[in-house]
Amino acid sequence: MKIYLLIIFVCTSFIAYAESNIIWNPVINISTNTYGNMHPRISLDGLGNPLIIWGRMSDQSVYFSRWTGNMFTVPVKLNPSWLTVATASWMGPDISSKGDTVYVVVKRAPETDGNNRIFIFTSFNGGISFNTPVELAFIADSVSRFPTVTTDSSGNPIVAFMKFNSSFLESRWVIVKSIDYGKTFNIDVKASGWGNSSEVCDCCPGAVISSGNTCALLYRDNNSNIRDCWAGISTDNADIFKSGFALENNKWSINSCPASGPDGVIIGDNIYSVFMNGASGNYRNYLSKSSISTGKIESVSNLSGTITGLSQQNYPRIATDGNAIAVVWKQTVSGTAQLPILFTNNAANGFTSSSEIVDISDITNTDVAMSKGNIFVVWQDDNSGTVKYRSGTYLPSTSVINQGENNNYSIYPNPAKDFLNIISPENRIFSINVINSLGEIIYSGQSISNTKIETSKFSKGIYILLLKSQNHIFTQKFIIE
C-alpha cells in the first residue's frame, strides 16, 4: 500500500510539472544577512549566468554577486565611500547586461539634494570587475530619482529616470543614451506626458525596455489623481519619443502615492506589461497586452483571479525569452506573504495554467529572468535578512516531447539498484537530470552518447529521468529498489 501511494504522489507531482513546464531547484541564500537584502534585481550574462544587485540601507550601499557555475561569489560593494546610494524595499538601483557587458545605475542619496545625480557602473568582463562610476548628466534645474536601465541591440546603455524642477514639481520621465558603452551620454529627452497630464506619479518607479530600434518607457501617470500606467514609445532607438499610449483603462483615482510602478517586455509588436492597480478597492496585479503599432490595448487581466483569503498583491515583475513569459509578484493570503509565478512557454497561446508558489513567508519584493530554457527568481526575505534565489528549467515551445516508449532513448534496468544505463539514439549533446519525489534535482550531468548513472547512493523510491537536447525532451519514471 505504501508503494502504491508513493506512485500516486510521484505521478501527481509530474502532472503538475507538465502543466507549468518548470522543474524547480531548492531555494538558496545568495549570501549571509550581513550584506543586506533591499530590492534585489537580476540580469543575465551572455552564457545565461545570473548577475544580481541589491541595496543595504545601513550604509546606503549597492552590492553585486554573480553565479560562477556552481555558486554565487562573495558580494562586492560597488559604490565608493563618497557615493551613497538611495535604496529601500520598494525602489533602488537597477541592472542590465548584454554578453559580458554589465550596467548598474544608482541614484546618489539623499535624493532631494539637487547636486546628487544619477551614476552608472560599467563592467566589460561579466561583473568580475567594475569601472569607476560615471555621472550621467548635469541637470542644472532639476532633482532626479528612480534610475532604470536597459541595453540596445549594440550593447549600449539606455537609462531612464524621473526629473523634477527645483521645487520638486513638474515630475516627468526622461531618457539618456550612450553610444560609447557608458562613457558619455546625450542630453536627456522627455519620454512621458502622453496622458494629457502635467505630471507623472512622483513616487512610483518606472521601467525602460528595448527591442531592436523600439524603446518603451513604462510609467505610472498622475492625471488629476488618476494613476493608471502608460508607455512612451520611441522607434529610433530612444533618440525621440514621438508617441505614447495607456497600458490599462482601470481609471484608478487616488490622492496618495502608491509607490509601485509597472514593468514590461516587448515581443514582436506587443508590449506585455504588469502593474498593480487599486481601482477595484483592493491592491491587485494585472497583465496587459498592447500593440505598439496601433497604440491600443488588446487585453487586461488580473494575474491570479479569485483566491480565498487574498488581501493584497504588489510589485509584479516580468521576463521573457523568445516567446516564453514569466511573471512574479508578492501577495498576501490569509496573513501569509507568498511569491507566485505565472508562466507560459508561448505567449501567443496565453497562460494555460494557474500560478504556482515559489516561496512563502516574509517576501517583500522579487525579480525574475529567463534564458535558454532556464528561469531565475530572486527576492527580498525579511525573516532571514537575505536575498534568496531559486532556479528552474522549463520546456521551450519549439521542443518536441517524447515520453515513455514513444522515444528514441532507452533506459535499463528499471527497477534499478546500483546503475541506470541510458542508451542514446545518436551522438548529440543532451543534459541529464534525476528528480526525486519532492521535485528536487538530485543528479545533473551531460553526455553525447550512451552513459551510466551510479544509483547505489539514491534512496529507494520512484524518480523521474529528464533528458534534454537542443530540440527534444525525454522523460521517464524509474524505480530504485
Side-chain angles (χ1 to χ4, degrees):
M1 177 60 69
K2 290 182 179 179
I3 295 177
Y4 175 72
L5 291 175
L6 181 59
I7 292 174
I8 293 177
F9 173 77
V10 173
C11 290
T12 303
S13 299
F14 182 69
I15 290 171
Y17 150 72
E19 289 177 349
S20 70
N21 282 343
I22 302 176
I23 300 176
W24 290 105
N25 296 314
V27 175
I28 65 172
N29 290 325
I30 291 177
S31 66
T32 63
N33 59 12
T34 58
Y35 295 97
N37 68 340
M38 292 288 106
H39 196 70
R41 288 292 177 257
I42 184 171
S43 188
L44 305 173
D45 67 17
L47 298 176
N49 294 310
L51 311 167
I52 300 171
I53 61 166
W54 65 93
R56 185 169 71 179
M57 291 187 69
S58 61
D59 61 353
Q60 297 180 301
S61 294
V62 57
Y63 280 87
F64 171 84
S65 180
R66 59 186 177 85
W67 181 255
T68 63
N70 54 20
M71 63 183 294
F72 281 100
T73 59
V74 175
V76 175
K77 181 179 174 179
L78 295 186
N79 55 302
S81 58
W82 57 266
L83 178 53
T84 51
V85 173
T87 184
S89 62
W90 57 280
M91 66 89 183
D94 196 21
I95 184 171
S96 184
S97 58
K98 187 176 180 63
D100 63 357
T101 301
V102 186
Y103 302 107
V104 176
V105 290
V106 303
K107 163 65 181 182
R108 189 176 183 180
E111 291 183 285
T112 54
D113 187 336
N115 294 315
N116 289 342
R117 313 293 166 75
I118 308 295
F119 289 81
I120 187 167
F121 300 83
T122 59
S123 171
F124 301 112
N125 54 16
I128 295 175
S129 62
F130 281 84
N131 299 314
T132 302
V134 172
E135 189 172 359
L136 293 188
F138 294 91
I139 312 164
D141 65 338
S142 301
V143 179
S144 59
R145 69 186 319 197
F146 300 148
T148 178
V149 61
T150 188
T151 56
D152 66 15
S153 57
S154 298
N156 279 298
I158 300 173
V159 181
F161 55 92
M162 191 182 293
K163 284 179 65 175
F164 308 82
N165 65 21
S166 58
S167 300
F168 229 85
L169 300 173
E170 298 180 1
S171 56
R172 70 270 195 198
W173 280 93
V174 299
I175 297 283
V176 294
K177 56 179 287 190
S178 173
I179 59 173
D180 54 12
Y181 301 97
K183 293 180 181 179
T184 61
F185 287 81
N186 68 342
I187 298 173
D188 60 83
V189 296
K190 187 178 179 181
S192 61
W194 304 105
N196 295 319
S197 60
S198 59
E199 294 187 322
V200 298
C201 188
D202 60 7
C203 63
C204 292
V208 60
I209 56 178
S210 180
S211 177
N213 286 325
T214 300
C215 180
L217 184 278
L218 312 183
Y219 66 97
R220 189 181 296 278
D221 201 23
N222 181 4
N223 188 352
S224 300
N225 288 327
I226 300 295
R227 300 182 188 256
D228 287 352
C229 292
W230 285 70
I233 302 296
S234 169
T235 57
D236 57 8
N237 199 31
D239 282 339
I240 302 175
F241 285 74
K242 294 182 177 180
S243 64
F245 51 81
L247 298 172
E248 56 170 319
N249 50 15
N250 285 302
K251 307 298 183 186
W252 185 23
S253 178
I254 180 174
N255 60 9
S256 60
C257 192
S260 178
D263 191 24
V265 296
I266 298 173
I267 300 179
D269 182 54
N270 294 119
I271 292 178
Y272 293 85
S273 58
V274 290
F275 46 84
M276 182 273 292
N277 190 287
S280 66
N282 298 291
Y283 282 8
R284 295 292 183 265
N285 289 337
Y286 294 85
L287 171 70
S288 169
K289 178 183 178 183
S290 306
S291 169
I292 297 171
S293 58
T294 66
K296 294 182 178 180
I297 301 170
E298 296 186 2
S299 63
V300 179
S301 59
N302 179 252
L303 286 176
S304 62
T306 302
I307 298 175
T308 302
L310 175 65
S311 58
Q312 65 172 338
Q313 297 174 325
N314 210 340
Y315 306 128
R317 298 286 290 177
I318 187 171
T320 185
D321 183 36
N323 291 322
I325 288 179
V327 183
V328 294
W329 65 95
K330 174 192 175 178
Q331 66 184 22
T332 303
V333 178
S334 300
T336 299
Q338 297 180 346
L339 197 172
I341 187 168
L342 187 64
F343 172 82
T344 178
N345 64 3
N346 191 339
N349 296 333
F351 293 87
T352 57
S353 62
S354 59
S355 61
E356 58 180 291
I357 302 301
V358 179
D359 195 33
I360 60 173
S361 185
D362 294 301
I363 293 98
T364 302
N365 57 59
T366 182
D367 200 13
V368 62
M370 306 169 68
S371 176
K372 303 175 182 178
N374 297 295
I375 190 163
F376 311 92
V377 182
V378 293
W379 62 97
Q380 175 183 332
D381 182 274
D382 286 333
N383 180 46
S384 63
T386 63
V387 176
K388 290 189 178 291
Y389 165 89
R390 195 174 193 187
S391 64
T393 60
Y394 63 89
L395 175 63
S397 61
T398 57
S399 296
V400 178
I401 301 176
N402 295 314
Q403 288 182 301
E405 297 180 356
N406 298 319
N407 64 80
N408 294 322
Y409 293 95
S410 61
I411 66 170
Y412 71 91
N414 188 9
K417 186 174 182 181
D418 296 322
F419 294 94
L420 183 71
N421 295 286
I422 303 173
I423 306 301
S424 173
E426 56 184 292
N427 289 332
R428 64 187 178 200
I429 297 176
F430 61 94
S431 64
I432 305 167
N433 286 309
V434 175
I435 304 162
N436 65 15
S437 60
L438 298 176
E440 300 170 336
I441 297 177
I442 62 168
Y443 174 87
S444 295
Q446 193 176 74
S447 181
I448 59 173
S449 60
N450 303 338
T451 191
K452 179 184 288 188
I453 301 175
E454 182 180 355
T455 57
S456 60
K457 296 181 180 180
F458 295 173
S459 301
K460 293 182 180 181
I462 299 178
Y463 296 82
I464 296 170
L465 178 69
L466 173 65
L467 308 178
K468 292 174 65 177
S469 63
Q470 183 176 3
N471 296 310
H472 297 266
I473 185 169
F474 163 67
T475 59
Q476 176 70 57
K477 291 188 290 291
F478 68 95
I479 299 173
I480 302 295
E481 293 184 333

